[in-house]
Every structure is written in C-alpha cells, then in structure tokens.
Amino acid sequence: MNLVRQLKEVIISVLPIVVLATLASLILGTMDALELGRFLFSSVLVIAGLTLFLSGVDVGLLPIGNRIGASLTRSRSLMIMLAAAFILGMIITIPEPDVQVLAEQVKRANPSVDTTVFVWAIAIGVGVFLSLSMARTVLHLPMKVILFASYAVIFAIAAFNDDFFVSVAFDSGGATTGPLSVPFIMALGMGVAALRKHDTESEFGYVALSSIGPVVAVLVLGLLSSGDTVAVAGGDSEAALSLWPLMASKLVDVGVSLLPLLVVCVLMQIFVIKMPHTETIRVAFGIVYAYLGIVIFFTGVEYSFSDVASELGAALSAVNPAMLYIVGFILGLAVVLAEPAVMVLTEQVEDASAGRISKKVMLFTLALGVGFAVVLALIRTVHSLSIWTFILPGYLIIMLLMIKTPGLFSAIGFDSGGVATGPMSSTFLLPFAIGASSGSSASASFGMIAMIAMMPILLIEVLGIVYQRTVNRKDGGK
C-alpha cells in the first residue's frame, strides 16, 4: 500500500479547493479566526480520510472485486451471475461516501425523504443495472440500444415528477459513481469482460449503466413520495463543534453500512474465492483502512468543510452573482484537473484514438466543459430555473450525437460521466450551490452533480466523431 502516493493525489485534489475557499471567505469576511481554524482542521480530516480510504480500497476491495468477478465468469448459470451482480451492486453502493453525503443534503431540503429509503433505492438501482451490464457482456447486447432505451424510460418517468426529484435523481446518478463503487464495479466488470477477449468496447459501460440505475430508482421514489422542499441553509454550527460525538456516531453509521459488504466478502472467501492466508490478511487490513478512512472523511465533511462551502456560496450570491459564477468556474476547473480518475480517462481516450486525441487536448476540453457545467448549474440556482431547461436539450444532443459516435467512444463517454463527479462535487460544489440558492426553492440548488456528469459525455462523443472523421479521411486518402 503506497500511502505517500495516495496522499499526494488527494492533496492535489483537495488543496486547490481549500486555498480558494479560504481566500474567498477571508476577503468576504465569512470566517473569523475560530471558523478558519475549524475549516482547516476539517480539511485535514477530509484529506487524511480520503487517503486512508482510497488506500484501503486499493489493498482490500479492489483485489477481492477482481477475484469475485473472475469467479463469476466460471459460473455456467446466467441467473447466478445476474443475481450475484445485483447483490454486489447493492452492498457496494450503501457505504459509498458520495451517496451518503447526497442523502444528507436531500434530507435537509425535503424532510419527508427518509435517508435510509433513499440510499436503498439508489443501491437497488445500481444492483439492477449492474446485472444488466453483465447480461450485456454475456449476451452480446449492443450498448447504444440499451442507452437509448434506458434514457427513454428515464425521461418518461421524469415527466411525472416534480423538479426536485428530477434534479436529485440525476445528481444521484453522478454521486453513485464514487471512490468506493467505481473501482469495485470496474474490477468486477473487467473480470466478466474477459469472456469477450477481442472486444475492447465490452470493457467499458459498466460504470455508465450502473449510474443510470439510481436515476430510475429515485424517480420512482419521487412518484411515491410527498412533502414540500424547504430552503436549505448551512449545517448546525453548534452541533458541528462536538467533534468526538460526531466521530463516534460515524463509527457506528459507517460500520452498519459496511456490514453487508463485509459479510458477502467473508462468505465469498470461505466458499468460492479461497485466497491464500497472507493475501486474506492483507485484504482484511485494507477493509479496516477503508472503514476508518470513511469515518474520518465524513467527520471532516460534517464538522466544517461543507458548511463553509454553503456560506461561501451564499456570500458570493449576495455580493455579486458574476463573482459567484467566476469562482464557480475556477472551482470546476480545480475539481476536474485535480481528479486522479480524470487522468486515467484521458489515457483511455488517447489509447482508443490511437494517439490522435492527446491527453492534453482531452484534459483541456474536460476542464473547460466541467467549469462551464458548474456555471450553468449556478445560473439555474440563482434564477430558480427548471432542471428541464438544461437536461432535456443536453441529453437530446447526447442521444443524437450517439448515432454518429463510434461505439467505443459512447461507452467511454457515459463511463466518464461519473469520473468528473468525485468527492469534491458532493462535499463542496453541491453545498456551494445550495448556499447560493439564498433561501429560494431548494429544488433549484440540486442538479450541480447532474450538470458535471452530463458534460463529459457530450464532449467525448464530439471527440469520438472528430476521431472517426479523421480516420475516414486518412483511409480515403490512401
């Protein structure tokens, strides 16, 4: 386990947000010395927690995910494979940090939403669509057909929902693909995709389809729910001062969330995987690291980190909306440029395009796209615009582009929707937008994660079309 390497990646990801938030808050006078100290301490907790958590995922959950995926490929029963994918999809989603943070924000906005029901709905959605992903690989189902059909269902159900649940549903799709679920899902998918050795496209799409499930599930939950949304303010600062009771509560909450995953891993080890003793111990330590990391991360987020984001958004919105958009754009750039998973994505696109689309071009395009997406989300928040104003034309363009986009780029594009929505999107950018809502309808403050998740899909499709035309011209010139 390389803690130093992981620490460097997390610091690069979090530090720009911390520095920018500190400078802006001091200039605007939203933090005194005590609040600044609490924010910096909470930032240290967030960095330490993410480092320990991601290291634990690498050492514990990723290896066992690979082994479970490989063991499923040896099963001759499609039903067993689909059932296992459904169960694994659920239990890996419940403890996902991004999902838990989003659930708390949704609860503040709409007290009628039960956080446990909300998280389980998302988990079931992931389980169903992870099973669909596996069926797609085994049965050779076309990715584009599944995407067209899935989004047709999404918009059909969304038409009967209010703006709040539509916004939250699309946010949940981005939040689901977080630092815990993505590595595990990809490890599981790579093992199953090995069934089609010479089909590169089958290696992608697992994350994409898994992120569609929560959108459908939350929209269905919206049809069954009632209750008015309320204006969302920052967290309870008095409660936030109680650091140790907060950490103690997180120890219990995270333990309960991780328990189903731990039980399944133990059962798979005893009856199916049967790893060597030394590797089992290593995996066990990795799971413990991940558990402690999530606890420390959540403590930092709720202690001060997200509250400062909310206060900063409110202050900028009150002073000058233009300044809000500028700071939001810079935050968007910082989030995507510092996200380690984005670097992996740029390498995938460079490989898929045989070097014709370089990592630098890809990174520059994604950074501008995500920065622009954050500005659009803030404009929607400030002016209380309907979520339909953005997602309907956005996904309509995406669906039309997909007709001409090479299949591989479509799969990578939809996978990338969750790549840009890392932990900072849920813990800082979403509260930042909530604060900027300035007491208006809370439904307008959601949709930030949805916008960030949508933009990379569109951009990679465009790059895929450009790549295909370049190849056609080159072949035609021979």
Side-chain angles (χ1 to χ4, degrees):
M1 178 172 59
N2 194 337
L3 276 173
V4 176
R5 175 185 58 82
Q6 205 68 259
L7 178 61
K8 288 180 180 178
E9 290 184 353
V10 172
I11 289 176
I12 291 173
S13 180
V14 178
L15 191 58
I17 304 292
V18 174
V19 172
L20 183 59
T22 300
L23 292 176
S25 297
L26 290 176
I27 292 172
L28 295 169
T30 58
M31 285 195 296
D32 57 24
L34 177 62
E35 290 170 331
L36 175 60
R38 289 180 55 235
F39 174 63
L40 294 178
F41 179 66
S42 71
S43 300
V44 171
L45 291 178
V46 167
I47 291 172
L50 269 179
T51 300
L52 196 58
F53 166 69
L54 293 173
S55 299
V57 168
D58 283 345
V59 173
L61 294 175
L62 199 55
I64 200 168
N66 270 311
R67 285 182 172 270
I68 291 174
S71 67
L72 289 177
T73 63
R74 294 193 292 268
S75 173
R76 296 183 178 180
S77 171
L78 178 61
M79 294 306 298
I80 291 177
M81 293 176 66
L82 298 184
F86 174 74
I87 294 172
L88 290 169
M90 284 198 305
I91 64 173
I92 201 65
T93 302
I94 293 171
E96 173 60 58
D98 291 0
V99 172
Q100 296 289 340
V101 171
L102 177 62
E104 290 299 323
Q105 299 288 356
V106 171
K107 178 67 175 179
R108 290 186 185 184
N110 190 341
S112 69
V113 177
D114 185 287
T115 53
T116 302
V117 174
F118 181 80
V119 171
W120 270 99
I122 292 176
I124 291 172
V126 173
V128 170
F129 274 76
L130 185 57
S131 296
L132 179 60
S133 299
M134 192 167 292
R136 169 201 159 222
T137 298
V138 175
L139 301 177
H140 300 192
L141 302 176
M143 180 68 173
K144 288 186 178 181
V145 173
I146 296 175
L147 288 172
F148 274 120
S150 298
Y151 278 95
V153 170
I154 284 174
F155 282 101
I157 302 175
F160 297 96
N161 267 274
D162 61 21
D163 256 30
F164 175 75
F165 273 101
V166 174
S167 303
V168 169
F170 278 92
D171 273 353
S172 69
T176 303
T177 50
L180 174 60
S181 58
V182 167
F184 195 89
I185 289 173
M186 290 185 71
L188 188 66
M190 290 297 286
V192 180
L195 290 172
R196 302 177 67 182
K197 293 184 179 180
H198 301 291
D199 184 358
T200 306
E201 185 179 336
S202 67
E203 297 178 5
F204 301 98
Y206 282 84
V207 174
L209 292 180
S210 297
S211 65
I212 290 174
V215 182
V216 176
V218 173
L219 287 173
V220 172
L221 182 64
L223 296 177
L224 305 175
S225 301
S226 61
D228 298 327
T229 59
V230 297
V232 182
D236 186 347
S237 59
E238 293 300 321
L241 288 173
S242 304
L243 176 63
W244 298 115
L246 175 61
M247 184 172 286
S249 70
K250 294 305 170 187
L251 281 167
V252 175
D253 294 343
V254 173
V256 171
S257 298
L258 276 175
L259 186 59
L261 177 60
L262 179 61
V263 170
V264 169
C265 289
V266 170
L267 292 176
M268 291 294 291
Q269 164 62 15
I270 294 174
F271 297 107
V272 180
I273 300 174
K274 299 179 181 178
M275 291 182 292
H277 183 66
T278 54
E279 188 174 353
T280 303
I281 294 175
R282 182 178 172 84
V283 167
F285 273 110
I287 293 175
V288 172
Y289 294 149
Y291 166 61
L292 294 177
I294 298 179
V295 170
I296 296 170
F297 171 76
F298 278 145
T299 302
V301 166
E302 295 192 19
Y303 184 62
S304 173
F305 196 75
S306 289
D307 287 344
V308 167
S310 180
E311 292 166 4
L312 179 59
L316 286 169
S317 179
V319 171
N320 188 342
M323 287 298 299
L324 175 72
Y325 304 146
I326 293 172
V327 173
F329 182 77
I330 296 173
L331 287 171
L333 293 179
V335 164
V336 72
L337 289 174
E339 178 60 49
V342 170
M343 303 304 171
V344 176
L345 175 65
T346 59
E347 291 176 0
Q348 288 179 331
V349 174
E350 187 174 59
D351 291 341
S353 65
R356 290 184 175 89
I357 300 175
S358 68
K359 290 189 290 185
K360 290 183 179 179
V361 170
M362 181 66 185
L363 188 61
F364 178 75
T365 305
L366 277 178
L368 288 181
V370 171
F372 183 60
V374 172
V375 173
L376 287 179
L378 291 172
I379 290 173
R380 160 176 145 72
T381 295
V382 171
H383 298 284
S384 297
L385 301 176
S386 171
I387 186 68
W388 288 98
T389 307
F390 300 93
I391 63 166
L392 186 58
Y395 277 97
L396 180 60
I397 293 171
I398 286 171
M399 292 297 118
L400 292 174
L401 287 175
M402 189 163 59
I403 297 173
K404 294 291 186 179
T405 304
L408 176 59
F409 279 87
S410 292
I412 294 176
F414 278 88
D415 271 356
S416 72
V419 168
T421 54
M424 292 301 100
S425 297
S426 298
T427 60
F428 199 90
L429 290 181
L430 179 57
F432 182 73
I434 290 174
S437 64
S438 301
S440 61
S441 172
S443 63
S445 60
F446 290 88
M448 171 68 76
I449 301 174
M451 299 286 194
I452 296 174
M454 181 176 69
M455 193 60 68
I457 305 174
L458 194 155
L459 294 173
I460 291 178
E461 284 188 333
V462 171
L463 290 177
I465 293 173
V466 171
Y467 161 71
Q468 188 62 56
R469 289 183 176 179
T470 302
V471 171
N472 292 342
R473 283 199 301 268
K474 183 178 180 180
D475 293 342
K478 291 182 177 180

